[in-house]
């Protein structure tokens, strides 16, 4: 699915979108949880970076040696390329959907952290692409709204996303559990890239 002008004007107009208006809080949390676990974040990816606020804030916290930023919207890709802050970093900007992205290189040389904030509700084949995600990133900062989340947002905020698939929680957790271990809030550890000396406390590994 291509997200161009209509999508951004309809979804973001006059709304506080999680991961955008509160991007600095998300980034602070990500920084603190990985500092606590003493896991070094040197290479990051942002899958579906959108407005780019979370990408910017996470980059500022970690100063990674490599950044891969991907979005299916040419509008957002061009907007990110104009940002002044990107000139300070080794950043590759890709105009691609995650489904179409050739993952061969990252499967050989995975990133430490992939941010995947509200992306998978737009992906048709969730299982295949969750496996793909687990093959390219040691950890993922992952969120996706479920059917009940959408019902709550419609009731409380009048928000309806006509572009998204509305799926039950169990639909996502079935595939997530195959390819990831949940180690903290929004933090998924890959089961494909095995290196479990971080987040090792058994009580919190689900």
């Amino acid at each position: 699915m291509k997200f161009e002008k209509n999508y951004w004007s309809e979804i973001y107009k006059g709304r506080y979108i999680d991961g955008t208006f509160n991007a600095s809080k998300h980034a602070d949390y990500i920084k603190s949880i990985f500092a606590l676990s003493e896991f070094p974040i040197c290479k990051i990816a942002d899958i579906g970076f959108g407005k780019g606020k979370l990408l910017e804030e996470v980059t500022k916290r970690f100063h990674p040696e490599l950044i891969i930023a991907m979005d299916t919207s040419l509008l957002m890709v061009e907007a990110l390329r104009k940002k002044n802050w990107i000139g300070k970093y080794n950043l590759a900007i890709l105009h691609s959907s995650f489904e179409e992205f050739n993952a061969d290189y990252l499967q050989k040389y995975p990133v430490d952290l992939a941010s995947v904030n509200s992306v998978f509700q737009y992906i048709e084949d969730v299982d295949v692409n969750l496996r793909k995600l687990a093959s390219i990133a040691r950890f993922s900062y992952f969120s996706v709204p479920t059917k009940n989340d959408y019902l709550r947002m419609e009731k409380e905020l009048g928000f309806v996303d006509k572009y998204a698939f509305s799926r039950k929680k169990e639909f996502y957790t079935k595939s997530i559990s195959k390819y990831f271990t949940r180690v903290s809030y929004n933090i998924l550890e890959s089961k494909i890239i095995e290196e479990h000396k971080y987040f090792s406390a058994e009580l919190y590994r689900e």
Side-chain angles (χ1 to χ4, degrees), residues 84-148:
N84 291 329
W85 67 266
I86 70 171
K88 302 176 184 178
Y89 301 98
N90 179 21
L91 188 151
I93 303 174
L94 307 179
H95 178 217
S96 175
S97 68
F98 187 62
E99 300 99 308
E100 295 168 342
F101 170 64
N102 186 333
D104 290 351
Y105 178 82
L106 289 184
Q107 286 169 346
K108 293 179 181 177
Y109 307 102
V111 297
D112 301 310
L113 175 68
S115 296
V116 192
N117 184 52
S118 292
V119 171
F120 269 71
Q121 69 267 35
Y122 303 114
I123 288 179
E124 186 169 354
D125 195 332
V126 167
D127 190 85
V128 165
N129 286 284
L130 279 173
R131 191 185 191 288
K132 185 177 183 180
L133 177 62
S135 73
I136 67 167
R138 290 182 172 85
F139 292 94
S140 295
Y141 190 67
F142 183 92
S143 66
V144 62
T146 65
K147 182 176 182 179
N148 284 340

Side-chain angles (χ1 to χ4, degrees), residues 27 30-31 34 41 44 57-64 113:
I30 296 169
K31 174 68 174 179
F34 282 102
I41 302 294
I44 69 171
E57 295 297 332
V58 170
T59 298
K60 287 178 180 178
R61 302 308 189 279
F62 290 106
H63 300 282
L113 175 68

Side-chain angles (χ1 to χ4, degrees), residues 137-202:
R138 290 182 172 85
F139 292 94
S140 295
Y141 190 67
F142 183 92
S143 66
V144 62
T146 65
K147 182 176 182 179
N148 284 340
D149 291 328
Y150 276 125
L151 290 173
R152 174 180 53 80
M153 287 188 282
E154 183 177 6
K155 181 179 179 181
E156 296 178 0
L157 306 172
F159 174 75
V160 176
D161 186 350
K162 68 181 183 182
Y163 300 93
F165 291 101
S166 181
R167 297 158 167 149
K168 292 183 178 180
K169 169 188 172 182
E170 292 77 13
F171 177 88
Y172 291 109
T173 55
K174 180 180 179 180
S175 290
I176 287 171
S177 64
K178 286 164 65 175
Y179 307 120
F180 298 94
T181 300
R182 283 189 281 184
V183 294
S184 188
Y185 176 78
N186 278 18
I187 306 289
L188 303 180
E189 180 188 57
S190 171
K191 289 182 177 179
I192 294 175
I193 305 169
E194 301 222 14
E195 186 185 7
H196 302 318
K197 65 179 182 177
Y198 304 95
F199 296 97
S200 57
E202 182 181 11

